Amino acid sequence: MTDTHHLVKTILIPQVAEMLMHDKGLSENEALHAIYNSPVAPLLEDDSMGLYGQSALYLYGLIENAWENPHTELATKFPAQTVSASLSGF
């Protein structure tokens, strides 16, 4: 089952990156950086959280919410690492 979860995540992450590139005008590298440095990344890696079963749009919303509201429980529990200057205002 874990292999299936891994495969699902390899599909979801590029979809979320594509949304960030389209909606936020980020490059592919910036979008991937935003995903992997978001507070959602550790949760996505934890199969017990079940995020592998959510849609790309749902994950995009979690990431966007964490960046726009850095003082939420999710963002403070899993603080984002340094983000490139191009993500300011994200």
Side-chain angles (χ1 to χ4, degrees):
M1 191 68 119
T2 302
D3 291 336
T4 303
H5 299 173
H6 176 72
L7 292 174
V8 169
K9 289 185 273 189
T10 61
I11 294 168
L12 287 173
I13 291 170
Q15 290 175 342
V16 174
E18 194 68 36
M19 290 178 196
L20 288 168
M21 292 164 56
H22 180 265
D23 293 350
K24 305 297 181 185
L26 302 179
S27 70
E28 183 177 13
N29 284 340
E30 291 168 332
L32 290 172
H33 182 82
I35 293 166
Y36 286 115
N37 288 293
S38 76
V40 176
L43 302 177
L44 189 57
E45 290 302 315
D46 183 354
D47 284 343
S48 70
M49 295 299 295
L51 288 181
Y52 59 85
Q54 300 301 319
S55 70
L57 185 58
Y58 180 81
L59 296 175
Y60 171 84
L62 289 177
I63 292 168
E64 184 177 44
N65 187 48
W67 286 110
E68 290 177 355
N69 303 296
H71 301 293
T72 62
E73 181 180 347
L74 176 66
T76 56
K77 186 173 183 182
F78 298 99
Q81 298 172 1
T82 306
V83 181
S84 69
S86 63
L87 293 179
S88 62
F90 176 76

